[in-house]
Amino acid sequence: MNTEKETPVYVAPQWKLVWWKFRKHKLALVSGIVILLIYLVALFVEILAPFLPDQTNSKYLYAPPQSLHFVDEQGNWGLYVYGYTSKIDPVALRRTFEIDSSVKIPVGLLVEGVPYKLFNLIPGNRHLLAPLDPDQPMYLLGADRLGRDVLSRLIVGTRVSMSIGLVGVLLSLVLGILLGGLSGYYGGNIDNLIQRVIEFLRSIPSIPLWMGLSAALPLDWDPLRVYFAITVILSLIGWTGLARVVRGRFLSLREEDFVMAARLDGASEMRIILGHMLPAFTSHIIAAITLAIPGMILSETALSFLGLGLREPVVSWGVLLQNAQDIRSIATAPWLLIPALAVVVSVLALNFLGDGLRDAADPYAR
Amino acid sequence: MKDESTLLEVKNLKTHFFLDEGTVKAVEGADLTIRRGGTLGVVGESGCGKSVMSYSILQLVESPGRIVAGQILFHRQLKCNGQSQMMDVIDLAALAPNSRAMRDIRGEEIAMIFQEPMTSLSPVHTIGNQIEEVITLHRRVDHATARRQAVDMLRRVGIPKPEERVDAYPFQLSGGMRQRAMIAMALACHPSLLIADEPTTALDVTTQAQILELIQELQRDLGMAVMLITHNLGMVAEICEEIVVMYLGEVVERADVFSLFREPLHPYTRALLRSIPRLGQIKQGRLDPIQGAVPDPYNRPVGCPFHPRCAQMMPGTCDRIHPELIERRDNRAVRCLLCEP
Amino acid sequence: MQTLTPEVMLEVNNLKMHFPIRKGFRQRVVGHVKAVDDVSFAVRRGETLGLVGESGCGKTTIGRCIMRAYDPTAGAILYCNAKNEQVDLAALKSSDLKPYRRELRMIFQDPYSSLNPRMTVLDIVGEPLKVHGVARGAELEDRVANLLKRVGLRPEYMRRYPHAFSGGQRQRIGIARALALDPRIVVADEAVSALDVSVQAQILNLLEDLQAELNLTYLFISHDLSVVEYVADRVAVMYVGKIVELAETTALFAQPKHPYTEALLSAVPKPDPTMRSKRIVLEGDVADPANPPRGCYFHPRCRYAEDRCKTETPALRAVGQVGNLSHFAACHRAEELNLRGVVS
């Protein structure tokens, strides 16, 4: 039509404006990258984990972390870790380990190892970082009481812990949008009823409720079923917050002049809700979801830590922390607390990301 | 004009806002003088910097905004032993916003009322409490005296049954009553200057008339000066003696009210006066609007800020040269290349 | 149903709009805000009827009842459509309203909240065309381009979002949307109140041009008396849900017949220091529409009030005649009082 170049900001749709605004929030941006990395880890667990999570080794119970070296004393390049020398403490009768810098265990990238099926589909046996000789020890984050590699277990646990948050939030999103939407759209008695139910659910102390519900799960269920049961339990409580966000946005949007204008255009209710109102709160919902995931992750961790959620042989961060329950094991093997660090990092990052998204969600605010 | 009667002089004031998107020059050269007891109107459209200028006078501009240049000279009258009066000239622009000296000026010497009373009255305190607080902050009086003065003040601004209303919360009052309560709070310490920022814009016409009447009456009684900031040309014509017209942060014209409305000099003032429908002047053909809109604050036009909308724009001159505010002999000033001698 | 006289396009009869006040846990109705309380008036073909009053007087509610954004509590809104058939808009079911949504359109006050910030100008102006199946695809773009040209915007801007435009330009977009379906009546609710003084005149001129060009009838709702005087052919003044005076513009402004109109006119600040007149300052506040006083609603603030004003509610009646147009006022003393208008 014309050759004049349009000013980008004038023709920028909503998502672009959100992105421009989000980009200015540096902490949220960094957190977003961290979250992306964590989910990538969760996706490619099989390649990233050096060993199988349940691979025990009775020779290296509570072996301390080794560090990865790139250059040896002679100045030669090469990836390796030092081996261990172990001796039995004559008094405590406990095996203690010391790093033995005379033994070099060569480590390689994309080493052939235990075969696996990526996404249960693609067969493979290469691991990103593993000792060249699979029988040699490599415990970058130490070993637990059965001599299992904490790093491998942490990586495998990422998948369960991070996905339980996501799946749980998606479930509560369905409930939240449905009930919050009904509440905001119809108002009156329906709204009153739903709001009272929400208040009731929020008033129940959550830990005892989870305990009750998960105690009701049959013990003979397989881990996968327990996993889904737990997400359902978490989302049964979690939907209330989202429902309130949806209802609030719904109520405020209904009063907007542009919604009235659409009604006077003769648009049907469906068209108004889907075409005019929904785009106005998708970004808010995404922000609310991001802020809801950490709660789910923390709940799962807490439940599993208490032994009420997931159980071995499923590996999640909460299950891993169960090993760090008694003082003695923490004293001898503080590296068992590393999964807690993973929880803290991911929860913080998700919160920062959610904050950034929430601030950017309405780029039109004046 | 360096005589006794000068109360406040603003000289070449510049207040800028430093945002990520760029620098917004909200006030870019404001000059004005207020006489003791006089009434000055500041008119302009949204974005002309009239509010930011008044905030600058009280050092209430919030970050990322900052006064970057200019002087705000306040001639403070020191009352020594009742009779002998000393003049003390303070440059408010040089004071730190939170300094003791600035806080002494605010409320005691210069008070301000705003467009929306609800934003400046605290919703959780009674209006009596809020007025008493202003009094006790600036005067050494006990609680009972402060309360008596608060009731007096409420009576003075025409609030019926002030003894009862002194214990009311702002939400219990109507819009007009709230505005009266805010005026009572502002005038509690008998300031020598009242800055009224769009004091009646949120009110209905009949309430607006009540408030204007009240401000004029209080001004007569208390002998204070009033700086009325508004976009409503009718309001300044009704109550002001002198008028300053602002456009894009600059004072473009200054004159006494009769000369300004009889013979506006700046093309912007002239266009503004032509573009408004006037009550009682039965349709004399079409209105004569100003073309275009106030430019985006990030891209100020080069040269005269009004030139893109000006009907008398001189190509090659107005879009290159930035005009100065020229003082005329008849005590008027105008910022236009056409009016330069 | 009574039949409309040929020069009348829309007639509002005894319109009432009461909003329930709900309180408590069970949301019981404890009273009603009588936003519009028994209002009758007619809009004549091709005229601009101004509706003035202070905030809360019910002028916006009347506009929204006519647009059927609200369902009136009682009363009739008789409308004579393009095929010269007469319908009562107040009695229609929402599903039967669609054809009338094309003929009656609205311009909103706030140029910011009335345009969906997430839709392009093409989508906003094209929405009514799409909803009514008038045009789509390339034809839709052509029609939107024409509409934009007509309201003084460049058609190239149709892919921009509202945030790219100034207040005045946004109001033009809102006008283009109102014109999209070739309406016959346009309800302009405070259409210029949110705009800068210098831009107001542009929009007022545009509305005037469009009226002449497209043969529109306007219901112009505003609180600004000078604007109403400029645009309206006839003016209705409202106070607490009732029309207190309705007359031809010049007559109403020069010789008001209701004391409230007189006070309102005298309260408007005039942009001319030589006309500094004595203002009539009304005592007290506007009556509460949930609990209005007995008799004439204005009597507690009226300086001409008599005893009967406190008990008898005055009806809106013809108190004079200018040409073929009657001068209506709801005041017991309309004939005897000699009220001050604005001098021209």
Side-chain angles (χ1 to χ4, degrees), chain A residues 57-64 84-98 328 332 335:
Chain A
N57 192 333
S58 54
K59 279 201 290 186
Y60 297 105
L61 309 182
Y62 291 128
Y84 295 103
T85 50
S86 66
K87 59 172 185 252
I88 312 261
D89 186 331
V91 185
L93 286 177
R94 215 187 294 146
R95 191 191 288 265
T96 53
F97 292 91
E98 247 163 41
R328 212 177 65 102
T332 46
W335 51 90

mmCIF file of all heavy atoms in Angstrom, chain A residues 57-64 84-98 328 332 335:
data_model
loop_
_atom_site.group_PDB
_atom_site.id
_atom_site.type_symbol
_atom_site.label_atom_id
_atom_site.label_comp_id
_atom_site.label_asym_id
_atom_site.label_seq_id
_atom_site.Cartn_x
_atom_site.Cartn_y
_atom_site.Cartn_z
ATOM 1 N N ASN A 57 27.103 -49.208 45.092
ATOM 2 C CA ASN A 57 28.485 -49.680 45.117
ATOM 3 C C ASN A 57 28.939 -49.754 46.569
ATOM 4 O O ASN A 57 29.180 -48.741 47.209
ATOM 5 C CB ASN A 57 29.384 -48.724 44.321
ATOM 6 C CG ASN A 57 30.745 -49.333 44.077
ATOM 7 O OD1 ASN A 57 31.199 -50.175 44.867
ATOM 8 N ND2 ASN A 57 31.385 -48.910 43.013
ATOM 9 N N SER A 58 29.036 -50.974 47.088
ATOM 10 C CA SER A 58 29.292 -51.143 48.516
ATOM 11 C C SER A 58 30.691 -50.686 48.906
ATOM 12 O O SER A 58 30.970 -50.490 50.073
ATOM 13 C CB SER A 58 29.078 -52.609 48.909
ATOM 14 O OG SER A 58 29.870 -53.423 48.070
ATOM 15 N N LYS A 59 31.594 -50.493 47.917
ATOM 16 C CA LYS A 59 32.949 -50.070 48.263
ATOM 17 C C LYS A 59 33.015 -48.584 48.598
ATOM 18 O O LYS A 59 33.951 -48.115 49.209
ATOM 19 C CB LYS A 59 33.883 -50.365 47.082
ATOM 20 C CG LYS A 59 34.331 -51.811 47.026
ATOM 21 C CD LYS A 59 35.604 -51.951 46.223
ATOM 22 C CE LYS A 59 35.323 -51.703 44.748
ATOM 23 N NZ LYS A 59 36.504 -51.974 43.900
ATOM 24 N N TYR A 60 32.035 -47.828 48.138
ATOM 25 C CA TYR A 60 32.148 -46.374 48.287
ATOM 26 C C TYR A 60 30.961 -45.780 49.032
ATOM 27 O O TYR A 60 30.354 -44.810 48.585
ATOM 28 C CB TYR A 60 32.288 -45.709 46.905
ATOM 29 C CG TYR A 60 33.535 -46.130 46.185
ATOM 30 C CD1 TYR A 60 33.475 -47.016 45.127
ATOM 31 C CD2 TYR A 60 34.778 -45.638 46.584
ATOM 32 C CE1 TYR A 60 34.601 -47.423 44.473
ATOM 33 C CE2 TYR A 60 35.931 -46.040 45.924
ATOM 34 C CZ TYR A 60 35.845 -46.937 44.882
ATOM 35 O OH TYR A 60 36.971 -47.344 44.243
ATOM 36 N N LEU A 61 30.608 -46.355 50.157
ATOM 37 C CA LEU A 61 29.515 -45.776 50.944
ATOM 38 C C LEU A 61 29.979 -44.428 51.496
ATOM 39 O O LEU A 61 31.071 -44.311 52.038
ATOM 40 C CB LEU A 61 29.142 -46.709 52.094
ATOM 41 C CG LEU A 61 28.880 -48.155 51.704
ATOM 42 C CD1 LEU A 61 28.467 -48.967 52.940
ATOM 43 C CD2 LEU A 61 27.821 -48.260 50.631
ATOM 44 N N TYR A 62 29.119 -43.414 51.344
ATOM 45 C CA TYR A 62 29.426 -42.061 51.823
ATOM 46 C C TYR A 62 30.757 -41.524 51.317
ATOM 47 O O TYR A 62 31.475 -40.842 52.051
ATOM 48 C CB TYR A 62 29.408 -42.005 53.364
ATOM 49 C CG TYR A 62 28.017 -42.160 53.964
ATOM 50 C CD1 TYR A 62 27.767 -43.107 54.960
ATOM 51 C CD2 TYR A 62 26.984 -41.342 53.539
ATOM 52 C CE1 TYR A 62 26.511 -43.251 55.509
ATOM 53 C CE2 TYR A 62 25.719 -41.484 54.084
ATOM 54 C CZ TYR A 62 25.475 -42.428 55.068
ATOM 55 O OH TYR A 62 24.231 -42.560 55.600
ATOM 56 N N ALA A 63 31.107 -41.853 50.090
ATOM 57 C CA ALA A 63 32.345 -41.302 49.539
ATOM 58 C C ALA A 63 32.165 -39.809 49.308
ATOM 59 O O ALA A 63 31.124 -39.378 48.815
ATOM 60 C CB ALA A 63 32.676 -42.000 48.229
ATOM 61 N N PRO A 64 33.156 -38.991 49.697
ATOM 62 C CA PRO A 64 33.013 -37.536 49.551
ATOM 63 C C PRO A 64 33.155 -37.095 48.084
ATOM 64 O O PRO A 64 33.658 -37.868 47.267
ATOM 65 C CB PRO A 64 34.159 -37.003 50.397
ATOM 66 C CG PRO A 64 35.180 -38.073 50.357
ATOM 67 C CD PRO A 64 34.442 -39.377 50.267
ATOM 68 N N TYR A 84 40.211 -42.651 45.347
ATOM 69 C CA TYR A 84 40.105 -42.602 46.801
ATOM 70 C C TYR A 84 41.084 -43.596 47.424
ATOM 71 O O TYR A 84 41.384 -44.632 46.849
ATOM 72 C CB TYR A 84 38.711 -43.038 47.267
ATOM 73 C CG TYR A 84 37.598 -42.118 46.839
ATOM 74 C CD1 TYR A 84 36.767 -42.471 45.786
ATOM 75 C CD2 TYR A 84 37.355 -40.930 47.526
ATOM 76 C CE1 TYR A 84 35.732 -41.666 45.408
ATOM 77 C CE2 TYR A 84 36.311 -40.124 47.143
ATOM 78 C CZ TYR A 84 35.496 -40.486 46.091
ATOM 79 O OH TYR A 84 34.461 -39.684 45.727
ATOM 80 N N THR A 85 41.561 -43.286 48.619
ATOM 81 C CA THR A 85 42.098 -44.347 49.466
ATOM 82 C C THR A 85 41.166 -44.404 50.666
ATOM 83 O O THR A 85 40.743 -43.386 51.179
ATOM 84 C CB THR A 85 43.517 -44.026 49.973
ATOM 85 O OG1 THR A 85 43.504 -42.710 50.521
ATOM 86 C CG2 THR A 85 44.520 -44.146 48.871
ATOM 87 N N SER A 86 40.843 -45.589 51.068
ATOM 88 C CA SER A 86 39.931 -45.691 52.198
ATOM 89 C C SER A 86 40.637 -46.385 53.344
ATOM 90 O O SER A 86 41.514 -47.213 53.155
ATOM 91 C CB SER A 86 38.685 -46.488 51.797
ATOM 92 O OG SER A 86 39.056 -47.816 51.536
ATOM 93 N N LYS A 87 40.318 -45.972 54.531
ATOM 94 C CA LYS A 87 40.827 -46.701 55.685
ATOM 95 C C LYS A 87 39.726 -46.754 56.732
ATOM 96 O O LYS A 87 38.843 -45.890 56.773
ATOM 97 C CB LYS A 87 42.095 -46.056 56.236
ATOM 98 C CG LYS A 87 41.954 -44.622 56.684
ATOM 99 C CD LYS A 87 43.243 -44.197 57.385
ATOM 100 C CE LYS A 87 43.121 -42.804 57.963
ATOM 101 N NZ LYS A 87 43.851 -41.775 57.298
ATOM 102 N N ILE A 88 39.777 -47.781 57.555
ATOM 103 C CA ILE A 88 38.765 -47.966 58.583
ATOM 104 C C ILE A 88 39.241 -47.264 59.838
ATOM 105 O O ILE A 88 40.341 -47.503 60.313
ATOM 106 C CB ILE A 88 38.542 -49.450 58.885
ATOM 107 C CG1 ILE A 88 38.370 -50.236 57.600
ATOM 108 C CG2 ILE A 88 37.387 -49.620 59.867
ATOM 109 C CD1 ILE A 88 36.985 -50.564 57.191
ATOM 110 N N ASP A 89 38.396 -46.399 60.350
ATOM 111 C CA ASP A 89 38.712 -45.723 61.603
ATOM 112 C C ASP A 89 38.666 -46.755 62.712
ATOM 113 O O ASP A 89 37.616 -47.359 62.947
ATOM 114 C CB ASP A 89 37.662 -44.621 61.821
ATOM 115 C CG ASP A 89 38.001 -43.774 63.040
ATOM 116 O OD1 ASP A 89 38.635 -44.302 63.961
ATOM 117 O OD2 ASP A 89 37.607 -42.590 63.048
ATOM 118 N N PRO A 90 39.797 -46.989 63.423
ATOM 119 C CA PRO A 90 39.808 -48.094 64.409
ATOM 120 C C PRO A 90 38.888 -47.840 65.587
ATOM 121 O O PRO A 90 38.401 -48.794 66.193
ATOM 122 C CB PRO A 90 41.260 -48.146 64.855
ATOM 123 C CG PRO A 90 41.848 -46.846 64.490
ATOM 124 C CD PRO A 90 41.090 -46.321 63.344
ATOM 125 N N VAL A 91 38.623 -46.609 65.899
ATOM 126 C CA VAL A 91 37.771 -46.339 67.062
ATOM 127 C C VAL A 91 36.290 -46.448 66.685
ATOM 128 O O VAL A 91 35.534 -47.231 67.242
ATOM 129 C CB VAL A 91 38.047 -44.935 67.633
ATOM 130 C CG1 VAL A 91 37.248 -44.724 68.909
ATOM 131 C CG2 VAL A 91 39.544 -44.754 67.876
ATOM 132 N N ALA A 92 35.912 -45.641 65.666
ATOM 133 C CA ALA A 92 34.494 -45.599 65.330
ATOM 134 C C ALA A 92 34.088 -46.755 64.430
ATOM 135 O O ALA A 92 32.911 -46.953 64.153
ATOM 136 C CB ALA A 92 34.173 -44.290 64.636
ATOM 137 N N LEU A 93 35.060 -47.506 63.962
ATOM 138 C CA LEU A 93 34.814 -48.593 63.024
ATOM 139 C C LEU A 93 34.057 -48.111 61.803
ATOM 140 O O LEU A 93 33.179 -48.758 61.278
ATOM 141 C CB LEU A 93 34.037 -49.736 63.698
ATOM 142 C CG LEU A 93 34.847 -50.598 64.683
ATOM 143 C CD1 LEU A 93 33.948 -51.633 65.327
ATOM 144 C CD2 LEU A 93 36.027 -51.268 63.976
ATOM 145 N N ARG A 94 34.417 -46.889 61.396
ATOM 146 C CA ARG A 94 33.742 -46.349 60.213
ATOM 147 C C ARG A 94 34.763 -46.191 59.109
ATOM 148 O O ARG A 94 35.909 -45.860 59.346
ATOM 149 C CB ARG A 94 33.134 -44.989 60.568
ATOM 150 C CG ARG A 94 31.818 -44.755 59.843
ATOM 151 C CD ARG A 94 31.321 -43.360 60.080
ATOM 152 N NE ARG A 94 30.957 -43.105 61.457
ATOM 153 C CZ ARG A 94 31.127 -41.921 62.039
ATOM 154 N NH1 ARG A 94 31.693 -40.933 61.380
ATOM 155 N NH2 ARG A 94 30.750 -41.731 63.274
ATOM 156 N N ARG A 95 34.291 -46.431 57.892
ATOM 157 C CA ARG A 95 35.205 -46.282 56.768
ATOM 158 C C ARG A 95 35.304 -44.798 56.412
ATOM 159 O O ARG A 95 34.292 -44.114 56.270
ATOM 160 C CB ARG A 95 34.663 -47.067 55.579
ATOM 161 C CG ARG A 95 35.644 -47.211 54.442
ATOM 162 C CD ARG A 95 34.939 -47.762 53.225
ATOM 163 N NE ARG A 95 34.589 -49.168 53.371
ATOM 164 C CZ ARG A 95 35.363 -50.158 52.905
ATOM 165 N NH1 ARG A 95 36.498 -49.898 52.292
ATOM 166 N NH2 ARG A 95 34.989 -51.408 53.058
ATOM 167 N N THR A 96 36.535 -44.287 56.342
ATOM 168 C CA THR A 96 36.682 -42.896 55.892
ATOM 169 C C THR A 96 37.486 -42.893 54.603
ATOM 170 O O THR A 96 38.301 -43.791 54.356
ATOM 171 C CB THR A 96 37.415 -42.040 56.933
ATOM 172 O OG1 THR A 96 38.628 -42.696 57.245
ATOM 173 C CG2 THR A 96 36.576 -41.825 58.165
ATOM 174 N N PHE A 97 37.190 -41.868 53.786
ATOM 175 C CA PHE A 97 37.846 -41.774 52.482
ATOM 176 C C PHE A 97 38.745 -40.572 52.440
ATOM 177 O O PHE A 97 38.481 -39.559 53.065
ATOM 178 C CB PHE A 97 36.800 -41.633 51.377
ATOM 179 C CG PHE A 97 35.973 -42.860 51.187
ATOM 180 C CD1 PHE A 97 34.792 -43.036 51.879
ATOM 181 C CD2 PHE A 97 36.403 -43.843 50.298
ATOM 182 C CE1 PHE A 97 34.028 -44.161 51.695
ATOM 183 C CE2 PHE A 97 35.632 -44.972 50.113
ATOM 184 C CZ PHE A 97 34.447 -45.147 50.802
ATOM 185 N N GLU A 98 39.821 -40.714 51.689
ATOM 186 C CA GLU A 98 40.634 -39.542 51.404
ATOM 187 C C GLU A 98 40.937 -39.542 49.928
ATOM 188 O O GLU A 98 41.066 -40.584 49.303
ATOM 189 C CB GLU A 98 41.948 -39.614 52.197
ATOM 190 C CG GLU A 98 42.014 -38.516 53.243
ATOM 191 C CD GLU A 98 43.070 -38.825 54.285
ATOM 192 O OE1 GLU A 98 44.149 -39.298 53.868
ATOM 193 O OE2 GLU A 98 42.790 -38.584 55.473
ATOM 194 N N ARG A 328 23.390 -37.602 62.086
ATOM 195 C CA ARG A 328 24.622 -38.365 61.883
ATOM 196 C C ARG A 328 25.023 -38.377 60.407
ATOM 197 O O ARG A 328 26.156 -38.109 60.046
ATOM 198 C CB ARG A 328 24.438 -39.808 62.384
ATOM 199 C CG ARG A 328 25.710 -40.426 62.938
ATOM 200 C CD ARG A 328 25.402 -41.808 63.465
ATOM 201 N NE ARG A 328 25.003 -42.675 62.357
ATOM 202 C CZ ARG A 328 25.829 -43.571 61.796
ATOM 203 N NH1 ARG A 328 27.037 -43.719 62.263
ATOM 204 N NH2 ARG A 328 25.427 -44.299 60.795
ATOM 205 N N THR A 332 28.390 -36.717 58.745
ATOM 206 C CA THR A 332 29.409 -37.450 57.991
ATOM 207 C C THR A 332 29.350 -37.130 56.512
ATOM 208 O O THR A 332 30.362 -37.127 55.833
ATOM 209 C CB THR A 332 29.244 -38.968 58.183
ATOM 210 O OG1 THR A 332 27.869 -39.289 58.033
ATOM 211 C CG2 THR A 332 29.752 -39.407 59.526
ATOM 212 N N TRP A 335 27.151 -33.461 51.908
ATOM 213 C CA TRP A 335 26.774 -33.304 50.503
ATOM 214 C C TRP A 335 25.386 -33.880 50.205
ATOM 215 O O TRP A 335 24.826 -33.637 49.163
ATOM 216 C CB TRP A 335 27.816 -33.945 49.583
ATOM 217 C CG TRP A 335 28.175 -35.365 49.950
ATOM 218 C CD1 TRP A 335 27.563 -36.480 49.493
ATOM 219 C CD2 TRP A 335 29.190 -35.777 50.834
ATOM 220 N NE1 TRP A 335 28.134 -37.587 50.053
ATOM 221 C CE2 TRP A 335 29.141 -37.192 50.878
ATOM 222 C CE3 TRP A 335 30.158 -35.107 51.607
ATOM 223 C CZ2 TRP A 335 30.018 -37.945 51.677
ATOM 224 C CZ3 TRP A 335 31.026 -35.867 52.372
ATOM 225 C CH2 TRP A 335 30.942 -37.271 52.418
#
